[in-house]
């Protein structure tokens, strides 16, 4: 396998782009080598500029849940393009997508569309503060909620991969109202409430996907919600990654817990820049123009993006691929565990719906501390074997692999062979 053109573009890219990437997770910092440059993708496959073809388990970090360029999505956006790109005024498609989203999440009477997950979460936090009149927010170590200042502490994958404790440029004042708790540990949340009486709410990834996949313990989310209600604090559920992924109604449907404020992104745009936050009427009525919480966006509700989102969610609902995702993920889990066993490599595998990943550790991973026991060198070796055997993975131990509904048996065979090659290589380290 040759990466000549990618290498050339990487060098070129270094001149005017930062690290030749527009998001640090795309850099290959923790696995070594140069990032791949992509030419095109279709269905379950992605092709780099050197014409190497891979089964794609990155899927743009989640949005391409139907696979790349699904016919119906392509048709919808092509049609929308013909009418113009952006108007600075409302369109009918915004109402349609809002209805689909609100129907999927019973806790959402109203929704506001924005352009990214980061925007969705920063607006959701502002809303929690506006509604409660309190300033402090609790977040969990290892959860990532976008790159807004206030939440850029103990923030999972991108930062863990680069070994940065937080971020430069974030003033102390911006994080002084952020409290950190431990995932799957309700006591660590209660401890904060015992010390502070001005906590607006808790933000959580209902299934964490940014420290690798970490699922909530049995009743963790429900108990958290009940506890917060008793403290007049809000549960802000960041479903940017999990929304529409394990069930159409997200992790909230699966775990039967209702958020006070829900944040969405990734899948709802089907590959276009869309984020959203929503809540019941009394909370959303705080948002301008109905209320005094300001939040705006020149391109928010962009017509092409709305068309992509509607087509993606409509098709997803029709396909209802969630049982299939669980089945495929369980097959992958078996591949991983059996191959690791065969070569004497210690791993743990966590999965949730269409998200799965192996951790190169012998410790069960239920929080960020556990995730950090992983041997990232082993992951780097494994990653490159997967690439060489035609499987495109996120270049980090701490990212989930994503499955699309277009994965075929042949793709699974290829993945299985690649995993075997990967584990063999790791066993020789
Ligand atoms: C990706 C992600 C975000 C940020 O979304 P962007 O669109 O990258 O800004 C926020 N929260 C979670 C849980 C995510 O996975």
């Amino acid at each position: 396998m040759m990466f000549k053109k990618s290498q050339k573009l990487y060098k070129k890219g270094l001149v005017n782009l930062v690290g030749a990437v527009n998001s640090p997770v795309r850099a290959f910092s923790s696995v070594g080598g140069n990032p791949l440059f992509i030419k095109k993708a279709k269905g379950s496959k992605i092709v780099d500029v050197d014409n190497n073809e891979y089964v794609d388990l990155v899927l743009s970090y989640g949005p391409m849940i139907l696979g790349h360029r699904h016919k119906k999505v392509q048709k919808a956006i092509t049609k929308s393009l013909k009418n113009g790109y952006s108007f600075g005024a409302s369109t009918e498609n915004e109402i349609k997508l809002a209805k689909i989203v609100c129907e999927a999440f019973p806790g959402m009477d109203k929704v506001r569309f924005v352009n990214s997950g980061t925007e969705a979460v920063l607006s959701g936090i502002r809303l929690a503060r506006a509604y409660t009149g309190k300033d402090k927010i609790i977040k969990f170590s290892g959860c990532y909620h976008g790159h807004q200042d206030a939440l850029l502490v103990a923030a999972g994958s991108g930062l863990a991969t680069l070994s940065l404790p937080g971020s430069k440029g974030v003033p102390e004042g911006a994080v002084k109202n952020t409290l950190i708790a431990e995932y799957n540990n309700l006591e660590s949340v209660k401890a904060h409430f015992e010390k502070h009486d001005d906590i607006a709410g808790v933000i959580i990834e209902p299934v964490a996907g940014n420290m690798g996949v970490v699922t909530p313990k049995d009743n963790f989310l429900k108990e958290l919600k009940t506890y917060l209600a008793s403290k007049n604090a809000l549960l802000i559920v960041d479903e940017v990654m999990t929304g529409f992924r394990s069930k159409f109604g997200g992790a909230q449907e699966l775990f039967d817990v209702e958020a006070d404020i829900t944040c969405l992104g990734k899948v709802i745009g089907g590959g276009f820049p869309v984020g959203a936050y929503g809540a019941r009427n009394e909370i959303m009525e705080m948002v301008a123009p109905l209320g005094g919480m300001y939040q705006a966006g020149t391109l928010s509700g962009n017509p092409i993006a709305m068309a992509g989102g509607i087509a993606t969610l409509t098709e997803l609902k029709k396909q209802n691929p969630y049982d299939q995702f669980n089945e495929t993920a369980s097959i992958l889990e078996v591949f991983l565990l059996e191959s690791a066993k065969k070569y004497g490599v210690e791993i743990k595998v966590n999965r949730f719906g269409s998200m799965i990943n192996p951790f190169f550790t012998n410790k069960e991973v239920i929080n960020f501390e556990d995730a950090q026991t992983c041997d990232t060198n082993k992951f780097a070796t494994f990653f490159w074997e997967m690439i060489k055997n035609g499987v495109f993975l996120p270049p980090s131990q701490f990212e989930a692999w994503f499955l699309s509904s277009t994965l075929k048996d042949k793709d699974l065979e290829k993945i299985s062979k690649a995993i075997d090659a990967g584990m063999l290589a790791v066993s020789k380290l």
Side-chain angles (χ1 to χ4, degrees):
M1 192 173 267
M2 304 253 282
F3 305 107
K4 265 194 173 153
K5 283 190 178 163
S6 272
Q7 277 160 4
K8 229 176 155 177
L9 286 179
Y10 175 62
K11 288 210 181 92
K12 248 182 152 170
L14 286 172
V15 179
N16 293 122
L17 290 167
V18 181
V21 295
N22 278 306
S23 185
V25 297
R26 296 176 200 163
F28 280 26
S29 323
S30 74
V31 292
N34 299 336
L36 301 181
F37 279 71
I38 301 304
K39 183 157 88 182
K40 60 181 182 180
K42 173 85 185 148
S44 58
K45 305 282 189 355
I46 192 162
V47 178
D48 71 15
V49 286
D50 290 287
N51 285 323
N52 301 310
E53 186 184 272
Y54 311 89
V55 177
D56 185 10
L57 298 181
V58 179
L59 295 168
S60 189
Y61 290 86
M64 312 315 299
I65 197 164
L66 300 173
H68 294 279
R69 288 196 283 146
H70 189 281
K71 250 194 229 150
K72 287 189 183 154
V73 180
Q74 187 120 350
K75 202 172 151 195
I77 58 170
T78 309
K79 191 174 153 207
S80 174
L81 266 174
K82 288 185 181 150
N83 291 325
Y85 317 145
S86 187
F87 310 120
S90 297
T91 59
E92 189 176 356
N93 272 351
E94 291 163 74
I95 301 172
K96 283 188 184 160
L97 188 58
K99 184 160 185 272
I100 296 172
V101 171
C102 288
E103 276 174 7
F105 290 84
M108 279 166 96
D109 293 324
K110 284 185 175 52
V111 62
R112 168 64 61 80
F113 290 115
V114 293
N115 301 295
S116 68
T118 295
E119 257 190 273
V121 175
L122 79 85
S123 310
I125 296 285
R126 186 180 302 152
L127 180 56
R129 287 172 167 159
Y131 181 75
T132 58
K134 297 186 255 188
D135 284 344
K136 290 202 165 53
I137 298 287
I138 298 178
K139 84 173 279 285
F140 293 96
S141 167
C143 284
Y144 177 68
H145 302 290
H147 64 84
Q148 66 159 314
D149 282 359
L151 298 183
L152 220 42
V153 266
S157 56
L159 294 164
T161 303
L162 296 171
S163 303
L164 299 178
S167 168
K168 289 192 177 169
V170 175
E172 258 174 49
V175 294
K176 79 168 199 285
N177 286 315
T178 309
L179 305 168
I180 308 295
E182 189 179 68
Y183 202 80
N184 273 324
N185 181 349
L186 188 58
E187 293 309 313
S188 70
V189 173
K190 289 182 180 170
H192 285 307
F193 276 93
E194 274 154 28
K195 270 195 230 134
H196 304 279
D197 57 6
D198 56 344
I199 300 174
V202 172
I203 182 156
I204 187 166
E205 284 184 77
V207 171
N210 287 292
M211 46 176 148
V213 180
V214 176
T215 51
K217 277 197 222 159
D218 298 338
N219 280 321
F220 180 58
L221 295 174
K222 271 195 157 159
E223 285 169 11
L224 179 61
K225 167 80 196 247
T226 308
Y227 178 73
L228 292 180
S230 77
K231 294 285 174 191
N232 288 319
L234 302 185
L235 177 63
I236 308 154
V237 178
D238 179 353
E239 295 234 33
V240 170
M241 189 182 282
T242 54
F244 301 97
R245 186 166 297 288
S246 59
K247 283 235 181 266
F248 201 69
Q252 294 176 55
E253 182 181 339
L254 190 72
F255 295 109
D256 188 27
V257 59
E258 201 172 288
D260 294 300
I261 297 173
T262 299
C263 305
L264 294 163
K266 300 196 167 113
V267 171
I268 58 165
F272 291 87
V274 183
Y277 63 100
R280 49 187 190 273
N281 280 323
E282 58 168 328
I283 299 179
M284 285 309 278
E285 278 159 11
M286 298 296 300
V287 179
L290 296 183
M293 187 205 104
Y294 193 71
Q295 183 275 310
T298 301
L299 294 176
S300 294
N302 173 269
I304 317 297
M306 293 292 108
I310 293 167
T312 298
L313 294 189
T314 306
E315 176 63 18
L316 193 57
K317 192 165 191 180
K318 195 177 117 200
Q319 284 188 8
N320 192 15
Y322 300 109
D323 288 343
Q324 178 199 325
F325 282 150
N326 280 330
E327 204 172 299
T328 307
S330 78
I331 291 171
L332 282 187
E333 180 176 26
V334 171
F335 286 166
L336 284 163
L337 291 174
E338 286 192 343
S339 181
K341 197 169 160 200
K342 183 160 108 193
Y343 297 112
V345 177
E346 279 185 316
I347 61 163
K348 297 288 173 198
V349 178
N350 284 358
R351 66 184 171 91
F352 170 75
S354 56
M355 293 153 59
I356 179 168
N357 75 283
F359 292 94
F360 287 93
T361 177
N362 56 8
K363 199 167 185 311
E364 291 298 338
V365 178
I366 63 161
N367 58 39
F368 190 49
E369 208 172 74
D370 299 336
Q372 284 182 310
T373 63
C374 286
D375 185 332
T376 51
N377 283 331
K378 286 184 181 168
F379 178 80
T381 299
F382 180 79
F383 169 84
W384 276 109
E385 276 309 304
M386 293 292 277
I387 290 284
K388 284 179 203 155
N389 284 277
V391 180
F392 189 49
L393 293 184
S396 164
Q397 166 70 85
F398 306 107
E399 297 279 0
W401 307 356
F402 294 100
L403 310 178
S404 73
S405 60
T406 51
L407 269 185
K408 306 279 186 305
D409 286 346
K410 262 199 170 154
D411 297 324
L412 288 178
E413 253 170 59
K414 197 167 178 182
I415 297 170
S416 156
K417 280 190 188 141
I419 287 174
D420 223 50
M423 292 300 173
L424 175 61
V426 170
S427 75
K428 289 182 177 162
L429 285 178

